[in-house]
Amino acid sequence: MTANAQANAAPRRTTLYNWHLANGGKMVEFAGYEMPIQYPTGIMTEHLHTREHAGLFDVSHMGQIVLRGSEAVAALEKHVPSDVQSLKPGQMRYSTLLNEWGGVIDDLIIVRPDTGYDLWVIVNASRKEHDLAIIRGKLPSNLIELVNRDLIALQGPHATHVIRALADNDVVEKLGFMNSAWTKMSGMPVLLMRSGYTGEDGFEISVDPQNTETLVNILMQDTDVKPIGLGARDTLRLEAGLCLYGHELNEKTTPVEAGLKWVVNKARLSQGEFAGASILESELLNLPERSRVGIMVDDKAPAREGTEIQNTKGEKVGEVTSGGFSPTLQKPIAMGYVDKHLAVNGTRLQLIVRGRPLSARIVPLPFVPHRYINKGKMP
């Protein structure tokens, strides 16, 4: 589908569209889909519930691409800076799909399931057709497929006990952060992945659409589980200091600028066999011209995307890419890009909100510490 056709197309709906309506979901268009922005209890309550209990998210708008055969790894590595070859069965890796200038076409999760030789790649809803076209240029068409699967996520400190009660074979005890396994939940086959987008321990579950609503209703029987909309998903990921494609990441932003240099494998960089390798090598040696930073605002007014960032002399030095009120910290927070010589924790800044300069300072990311669970440290 072309970009114009996508823009003119009616929003798509996930399998859970009617379920969201039945549960009071307020629907909005997001990335070409009608998705719940919030439920009747509101974004603040949903956010805090996820931090304290377990939040259930419909993320089925995201793409799930399967790459088959031994050629798949080499084909994917032409466009990502990470080491895909070394993924062991069950391991997952966050990476970025790059253009020839080192810009981020998409950020994605690469999964090597614990059985078989296929790669399972989770991509952003707004980029999946674009990603497919690029990867298809490197692989025979019969080796790549955008599969018809739904994706739901359960996030929060109580997610573990909810999943443990439903999944087969003590699978939760075998999975650390960024690991996956095929299993069954209440008898339904799923790909269970210990990962997420909130900074909390949690799971993402790839499920056949014919089972999605049944599985969601079973999860909702636990009183710790509440449905969470896109609004709280965004405030949770902002507190966690995680990038959102189209905000912190785009085709003119490199992973080094975005503070994601850890996705660049040094051995593969020295071989220079992926798109944009020479650009990333130069940035790692000399520092990029700008860097993503966390910003704490010394005021009650939140600074939204596009807010101008100034130094204390009133000179523009950057722009906010995401900003809002932190329900956990009870104060405004933001992320943005600033000139490289200012990207130092403690640097004083000004944010121009509604024409008024607000005092702010650069702080370390994440704003709220991650609570991922590694294997061997199970709760």
Side-chain angles (χ1 to χ4, degrees), residues 82-198:
S82 307
D83 179 7
V84 183
Q85 297 275 358
S86 69
L87 278 176
K88 297 177 181 176
Q91 288 186 330
M92 306 164 56
R93 188 156 290 157
Y94 174 85
S95 192
T96 53
L97 197 67
L98 301 178
N99 60 31
E100 60 184 297
W101 301 281
V104 179
I105 297 169
D106 199 1
D107 61 331
L108 38 80
I109 299 286
I110 304 167
V111 184
R112 184 177 175 190
D114 56 331
T115 58
Y117 297 96
D118 297 340
L119 291 178
W120 206 277
V121 185
I122 312 295
V123 302
N124 283 298
S126 64
R127 305 299 287 173
K128 56 188 173 187
E129 302 294 343
H130 198 55
D131 297 351
L132 264 177
I134 290 171
I135 300 172
R136 278 182 172 142
K138 303 292 182 184
L139 272 179
S141 58
N142 63 321
L143 298 181
I144 178 170
E145 180 184 4
L146 181 63
V147 293
N148 181 27
R149 304 273 299 186
D150 285 336
L151 191 67
I152 58 177
L154 191 69
Q155 298 283 296
H158 294 178
T160 295
H161 85 75
V162 177
I163 299 295
R164 182 185 286 132
L166 301 175
D168 282 358
N169 303 325
D170 299 324
V171 67
V172 170
E173 274 61 39
K174 300 173 184 174
L175 293 185
F177 180 59
M178 296 302 281
N179 279 267
S180 69
W182 285 103
T183 186
K184 289 184 178 179
M185 293 181 64
S186 296
M188 292 170 278
V190 300
L191 177 61
L192 185 66
M193 297 166 278
R194 198 161 196 162
S195 60
Y197 197 46
T198 62

Side-chain angles (χ1 to χ4, degrees), residues 227-284:
I228 311 297
L230 291 174
R233 184 171 183 251
D234 195 51
T235 53
L236 289 158
R237 75 94 193 167
L238 177 58
E239 287 184 350
L242 301 175
C243 295
L244 176 62
Y245 197 85
H247 295 254
E248 285 72 40
L249 298 174
N250 57 50
E251 294 202 30
K252 295 181 179 178
T253 303
T254 72
V256 180
E257 291 175 315
L260 303 174
K261 63 181 182 183
W262 47 271
V263 306
V264 182
N265 180 271
K266 291 182 179 178
R268 296 205 61 233
L269 184 68
S270 65
Q271 296 164 358
E273 294 180 347
F274 61 85
S278 61
I279 304 293
L280 301 192
E281 185 172 33
S282 175
E283 288 187 340
L284 287 169

